[in-house]
Amino acid sequence: MSELNPSQKAIAEGTDGFYVVDAGPGTGKTHTVVSRFVNILKKPDVDTKDILLLTFTKNAASEMEERIRAKLSEIETEKPVKLIQAGTFDSFCYSVVKESPETVSSFLGIKERLTRSASLVENETLNKEYFFDFFDRFND
């Protein structure tokens, strides 16, 4: 992959907080995310378990994890790479609900208590719509 363009470089070098990388196919999103992951991991107080990568599809999550492992094998790193947390928004939210359904119910203001028997229904179109709605409200 070629060098990062200025926008990609700004994302890759930004090692604090979270970023949303939204661009069309073949624009270098995964390359940018991999570069950012490696830059964050270079910080002395950061371990792979401290970094969470979320995307819309299982395929994209697998691709990010594969490329990160490949990149880390190319460079010298003193930190062992045991866990790379790359998954979908759905799977992450599902794990939170399964782990603490009562807390999630309370936090979201849901009167009916969620339970550990919740199920996951995947719909990529709705997921994107709900995510961007949530993200817009979160950033206000």
Side-chain angles (χ1 to χ4, degrees):
M1 183 85 195
S2 62
E3 291 295 315
L4 299 173
N5 69 35
S7 296
Q8 292 168 325
K9 191 172 183 179
I11 291 169
E13 292 177 354
T15 58
D16 293 319
F18 68 90
Y19 285 73
V20 174
V21 180
D22 182 25
T27 56
K29 293 182 299 292
T30 304
H31 181 62
T32 302
V33 169
V34 168
S35 297
R36 183 164 193 255
F37 185 98
V38 171
N39 286 334
I40 292 170
L41 195 57
K42 287 178 182 176
K43 294 172 84 170
D45 59 338
V46 175
D47 189 64
T48 57
K49 68 177 176 48
D50 300 320
I51 306 170
L52 176 62
L53 301 168
L54 296 175
T55 187
F56 291 105
T57 67
K58 292 176 188 177
N59 186 45
S62 295
E63 181 73 18
M64 282 193 298
E65 184 174 348
E66 286 175 28
R67 289 202 201 175
I68 287 168
R69 287 191 187 284
K71 184 68 174 178
L72 291 175
S73 71
E74 292 173 10
I75 62 174
E76 287 187 30
T77 178
E78 296 175 12
K79 298 176 184 177
V81 180
K82 297 175 187 168
L83 172 70
I84 296 175
Q85 298 182 102
T88 64
F89 291 102
D90 291 357
S91 63
F92 174 73
C93 292
Y94 182 63
S95 69
V96 171
V97 169
K98 292 295 263 186
E99 185 176 307
S100 305
E102 300 84 13
T103 304
V104 172
S105 297
S106 175
F107 179 78
L108 295 175
I110 299 172
K111 292 178 185 172
E112 193 173 307
R113 295 287 178 213
L114 296 172
T115 68
R116 286 187 168 80
S117 65
S119 62
L120 179 64
V121 177
E122 294 185 35
N123 180 317
E124 189 173 336
T125 303
L126 285 176
N127 291 346
K128 286 182 181 180
E129 181 180 325
Y130 292 150
F131 171 76
F132 286 116
D133 180 54
F134 166 80
F135 187 73
D136 288 342
R137 286 184 284 128
F138 182 79
N139 276 330
D140 285 340

